[in-house]
Structures are given as structure tokens and as C-alpha cells.
Amino acid sequence: MKKRYINKGAKKFIAYFQNFSNTYAPIERLKDIYYQVIEKDIVQISISTRPDCISDEILDLLEELKEKIDVSIEMGLQTANYHTLTKMNRGHTLAEYINATMKVKNRGFELVSHVILNFPNDNILDVIETAKILSVLGVDGVKIHSLYIVKNTILGKMFEEGKIKIGSLEDYVERTIRFLEYLSPKIVIHRLVADPPRKGTIFGNWGKPKIQIINLIERKLAEKETYQGKNFLSWYTPKTEKFKNIQNDLH
């Protein structure tokens, strides 16, 4: 794949450990894998994982790696609603996500979090609370996903039996806009909608191309004359002089 982009003129690359939990292995195995991708044209290693797969030992390894190459960590919160986290069998709680995030940020790593804005059990208040938590924790970026459902899974069976219903595309767009309005304007948006796999998906993106949904979100933002961070300062009211300076920077 790298050769394909070299042929298009690319000279620098990010090694992306994306699928599954890429810190879930013995330390020596992880070290071997990470160090294999360090080459002169690789400028960053991006490692996707879960809150329950981050330990001090792993962070020690990543700090060692960071001395040789830039390291970015991606980690899923998905929702601030801890009841939904349990129902979706996420395997971690809200508190565990917060704990892992604080550990990662205290080590000085860039952190990108993933969220899903249209869980069947979540409402608009859950969406707003998720934006607030990411903002307070100071994550560097966020990838916003729409929920998609794969066959031969528990969720897939529930969907096929009519036990869960997915909201409309219009509802997803509204949730995304509200999420952005309450999110810190300093957080980089890496993604606005999911990219479901073609094989095995029984529901994904309302049958629409990804770019069509992105365009719809951008158009609605313009129509509403709203933007990321519009409502951020309405709830983020720091009291100390340190945070007043941050507040002034945001104006």
C-alpha cells in the first residue's frame, strides 16, 4: 500500500495500528511489532486501543518508543452514558476511560478519542455530556462515528428481531451538530461519520455514501449559523486565573 502512495508523490507516512486493541499483547511482542515499522519515511506511529488495555507498563514502552518517533494514541469512549457502555458490552466503564485518558495525557501523548452519537439508548443530553467530558479531559482529537450493525452479532440479532431501532439520518445530523457546539474548539475533528465495511453490514449510514452525510452536516451547520465550540463557554466556566487565560484565548 505504501508503494501505491509513493507512486502518487507521498514522501512521509504514519504507521497506523488501527483495528482491534493494539496494546493487547505481551510487552516484548508489542515492542517487536512497534519497532519493526520505524523507518526514515515513517513520521508517526498511531496506536488504537481501549481504556482497559492501557497499563503503566505499556505506557512505559510507548514513552521509550516516543524517544525515537512521534507516538499518537487512539482510544474509544463511544458514550458518556455508562448504562449504554454496559448494554453494548464495551468491557469498560466511564471511570475507566477517564482514568486511562488521564494516564495517557499525563505522559504527554497525543490522544484521539472515538465516539458514537446514535446509540439506541442515548439521547441528546448524553451526546452533550460526552462532548463535555472530552473537553474537560483535554483530548487532542475526536473521531465521530455513526453506529453500524454487523450480522451474526448480538446487536445484529436484536436489530433483526426489532428489539432496537436506529434513529433517522436527520437525528444523527442534529446530534452531531449539538456535539460539536458543546465541544472545545481546540479539539481537532478527525471524522464526522463512520465508514462501515461493505461485507456483513446489515445497517450502516442509512444506505448513504459517507461523503453525502458529511456534506449534509456541513450544510446544516451553515444553515443554522453554528459551529464547533459555540456553546462551549456557556458551560465551561473556570474560576482560576490559569483557566481565565485559556478562556480568553478561545474568544
Side-chain angles (χ1 to χ4, degrees):
M1 181 175 287
K2 189 168 81 169
K3 184 177 180 180
R4 183 177 73 183
Y5 288 104
I6 289 175
N7 292 337
K8 292 182 178 181
K11 294 181 173 59
K12 301 294 182 181
F13 301 88
I14 295 174
Y16 191 8
F17 293 89
Q18 180 181 20
N19 291 339
F20 310 111
S21 302
N22 294 286
T23 57
Y24 187 64
I27 288 294
E28 289 305 315
R29 173 63 174 154
L30 292 173
K31 185 173 183 178
D32 179 57
I33 293 171
Y34 297 155
Y35 275 77
Q36 282 186 39
V37 301
I38 297 180
E39 299 176 4
K40 63 180 181 180
D41 57 353
I42 302 295
V43 296
Q44 185 187 72
I45 295 177
S46 180
I47 299 170
S48 181
T49 188
R50 298 165 46 89
D52 54 326
C53 295
I54 289 287
S55 66
D56 290 333
E57 189 179 18
I58 287 170
L59 290 173
D60 288 342
L61 170 61
L62 296 181
E63 274 199 321
E64 175 188 310
L65 185 66
K66 193 169 65 169
E67 294 178 2
K68 301 181 181 298
I69 190 170
D70 186 40
V71 176
S72 175
I73 297 174
E74 295 194 11
M75 190 165 62
L77 166 60
Q78 312 310 354
T79 176
N81 186 327
Y82 53 89
H83 296 296
T84 299
L85 291 174
T86 301
K87 289 178 180 178
M88 292 294 109
N89 196 28
R90 280 290 301 166
H92 66 82
T93 65
L94 175 59
E96 287 167 338
Y97 166 82
I98 293 172
N99 182 48
T101 295
M102 292 175 67
K103 285 185 175 183
V104 168
K105 293 300 295 177
N106 286 341
R107 299 286 190 116
F109 291 104
E110 177 187 61
L111 178 64
V112 178
S113 284
H114 292 237
V115 297
I116 297 173
L117 299 185
N118 62 324
F119 280 119
N121 301 303
D122 283 6
N123 58 36
I124 199 70
L125 294 179
D126 296 309
V127 169
I128 291 171
E129 190 68 11
T130 301
K132 290 180 177 181
I133 286 176
L134 296 184
S135 300
V136 167
L137 291 173
V139 304
D140 300 284
V142 60
K143 291 187 176 181
I144 303 170
H145 299 261
S146 48
L147 180 66
Y148 66 83
I149 301 175
V150 179
K151 66 180 179 181
N152 299 324
T153 62
I154 295 174
L155 193 63
K157 184 178 180 181
M158 292 172 67
F159 179 75
E160 290 173 328
E161 293 176 351
K163 294 180 179 178
I164 60 168
K165 295 186 182 299
I166 307 299
S168 66
L169 173 57
E170 291 72 21
D171 178 64
Y172 178 77
V173 171
E174 179 61 26
R175 289 182 181 218
T176 303
I177 290 172
R178 296 290 279 171
F179 176 84
L180 292 173
E181 287 177 333
Y182 282 86
L183 190 70
S184 166
K186 291 191 172 183
I187 296 176
V188 177
I189 307 300
H190 291 247
R191 181 178 295 163
L192 285 171
V193 66
D195 195 7
R198 294 181 181 179
K199 186 176 181 180
T201 299
I202 57 178
F203 175 86
N205 286 354
W206 301 270
K208 305 288 186 182
K210 180 179 177 180
I211 188 61
Q212 188 173 329
I213 298 176
I214 293 172
N215 290 340
L216 180 58
I217 292 169
E218 292 180 345
R219 186 166 68 249
K220 289 295 183 180
L221 283 167
E223 288 176 1
K224 291 174 176 285
E225 297 184 343
T226 191
Y227 49 87
Q228 179 184 347
K230 182 178 182 179
N231 294 332
F232 175 65
L233 292 179
S234 69
W235 66 269
Y236 186 82
T237 53
K239 305 300 182 184
T240 66
E241 288 299 321
K242 174 183 176 182
F243 287 114
K244 283 180 182 177
N245 292 333
I246 295 175
Q247 193 175 40
N248 290 334
D249 290 343
L250 294 173
H251 281 295

